[in-house]
Amino acid sequence: MRDLKHLLYFENLLQEANNELIAQAKAEGKVCVAYTCENVPEPLLNLPGCFSIRLHAPHTGSMDIATYYMTNLLCEPSRALLERAIEGGFNFSDCVITPDGCTMMNRCVENMELLHTMGEGNPKFFHEYMEIAFKNTESDVALSSAELAEKSDEEVKALMPNLRVVARALPTDKSRLVRLAQELDMVVGMTGDGVNDSPALSEADAGIAISTGAAIAKEIADITISAQDLFCLVTLRKVSEGMMKRIGSNYCRIIGFNAALMLLGASGIITPAMSALLHNSSTVAISLASMKNYLEDNAQ
């Protein structure tokens, strides 16, 4: 029964994000290190003068605001944490450490930082992201948002051919990259699903949103795909290339055949009736040929 009493005590502690143990540690002057993922190295959680807390959001009701900033495609725990952070439920923390382990939780913490949901009245509060994405080759370039901000436009343009990753990109970073790529005469496609992606979606040559994304992203984007992932963009690219190839091929056939008919008719080799018959026959033949699928059966 004594063990059951202690278990009940700790279970009750989990019912509040800011419980009495956290209040006691803060009163002792300790620094609260918050995290969202179990992949944070343990030494960082046991630093002298600090205590760690894994963020959680018990008794979460509506998550409409978090879904607005993120997307309902992301898991409920990540949206619940953002909803609680927007409500001010995590202001007791002094910093947040986020490893590149779970994409959904990373997106959650990025929105916490962009919306300034934590650290109110604490000038020393900070976010720290770990393990920037790896590069495939030595020539590839991976930058953080802070590193990108330190570089001039000309420096970024020089890196653009080999730039593979911009970690923790802010909305202004995305818009800047779109603008710089367009200044290099590149055709820019931007994919996004959140409010933070909207500025870059509007500036890109082709803005692509996912159907489950935020309403404003779908409104601004040029294309909204019905799938819940971006793999169909590969198929969309193949279909568009096949369409443009067929349009060009049909154009050349029509111009070439009609030019030949005009020359034959002008030289008196064929009659006007025969020229009209051949013209209409070619139109039907080209139309039937254009009804074929743009993709081969094994590529669909």
Side-chain angles (χ1 to χ4, degrees):
M1 290 299 294
R2 287 182 301 176
D3 292 339
L4 182 60
K5 179 181 68 173
H6 294 309
L7 287 174
L8 182 61
Y9 170 73
F10 284 110
E11 182 179 353
N12 290 333
L13 287 177
L14 295 176
Q15 300 305 312
E16 296 293 337
N18 188 6
N19 56 48
E20 62 180 85
L21 289 184
I22 295 176
Q24 178 181 343
K26 293 286 290 185
E28 294 173 358
K30 294 183 178 180
V31 175
C32 177
V33 179
Y35 64 101
T36 61
C37 178
E38 61 185 6
N39 293 326
V40 177
E42 186 173 346
L44 292 178
L45 304 180
N46 297 306
L47 295 173
C50 300
F51 70 98
S52 60
I53 175 69
R54 184 169 181 174
L55 297 179
H56 64 293
H59 310 299
T60 301
S62 171
M63 295 182 288
D64 292 342
I65 298 178
T67 302
Y68 173 79
Y69 282 105
M70 298 170 73
T71 168
N72 58 10
L73 184 63
L74 300 185
C75 67
E76 289 189 356
S78 64
R79 286 184 284 145
L81 288 181
L82 179 59
E83 189 81 22
R84 184 60 54 85
I86 293 173
E87 295 171 355
F90 300 139
N91 276 328
F92 57 83
S93 60
D94 296 296
C95 65
V96 178
I97 298 178
T98 308
D100 277 342
C102 173
T103 303
M104 297 186 184
M105 281 299 178
N106 287 353
R107 187 67 177 271
C108 168
V109 177
E110 288 172 1
N111 278 277
M112 289 181 184
E113 182 178 12
L114 291 172
L115 297 172
H116 304 288
T117 59
M118 302 164 71
E120 182 179 354
N122 184 359
K124 295 183 178 180
F125 179 87
F126 65 91
H127 285 270
E128 182 63 37
Y129 299 97
M130 304 165 52
E131 301 171 7
I132 300 301
F134 292 106
K135 302 179 292 183
N136 291 328
T137 65
E138 289 299 325
S139 61
D140 289 345
V141 178
L143 301 174
S144 66
S145 176
E147 292 171 334
L148 180 67
E150 294 173 354
K151 296 186 180 299
S152 65
D153 287 354
E154 295 304 320
E155 289 175 324
V156 176
K157 287 181 181 179
L159 296 174
M160 194 74 75
N162 296 319
L163 185 58
R164 296 293 179 265
V165 176
V166 178
R168 316 300 169 199
L170 300 174
T172 51
D173 296 332
K174 299 172 186 178
S175 300
R176 182 188 179 196
L177 290 173
V178 169
R179 174 178 57 81
L180 295 179
Q182 290 173 333
E183 291 177 1
L184 292 173
D185 295 327
M186 296 180 180
V187 178
V188 182
M190 169 67 189
T191 59
D193 58 4
V195 176
N196 298 330
D197 301 320
S198 300
L201 285 172
S202 64
E203 294 180 14
D205 297 297
I208 304 169
I210 302 176
S211 61
T212 54
I216 188 172
K218 293 186 289 184
E219 182 69 24
I220 291 176
D222 302 300
I223 302 169
T224 300
I225 57 177
S226 57
Q228 295 186 354
D229 55 60
L230 300 177
F231 292 107
C232 66
L233 290 180
V234 178
T235 303
L236 180 62
R237 174 65 183 272
K238 292 180 179 179
V239 170
S240 63
E241 289 177 341
M243 181 184 297
M244 294 305 299
K245 182 178 180 181
R246 186 168 298 178
I247 290 174
S249 175
N250 290 347
Y251 178 81
C252 293
R253 290 176 181 176
I254 292 171
I255 294 297
F257 191 78
N258 287 338
L261 290 180
M262 292 175 63
L263 291 175
L264 293 174
S267 60
I269 298 176
I270 59 175
T271 63
M274 179 58 68
S275 177
L277 177 62
L278 293 174
H279 169 75
N280 292 335
S281 298
S282 68
T283 301
V284 173
I286 293 174
S287 298
L288 292 175
S290 298
M291 294 176 65
K292 295 188 299 182
N293 291 331
Y294 291 111
L295 300 177
E296 299 294 336
D297 291 337
N298 59 353
Q300 293 184 14

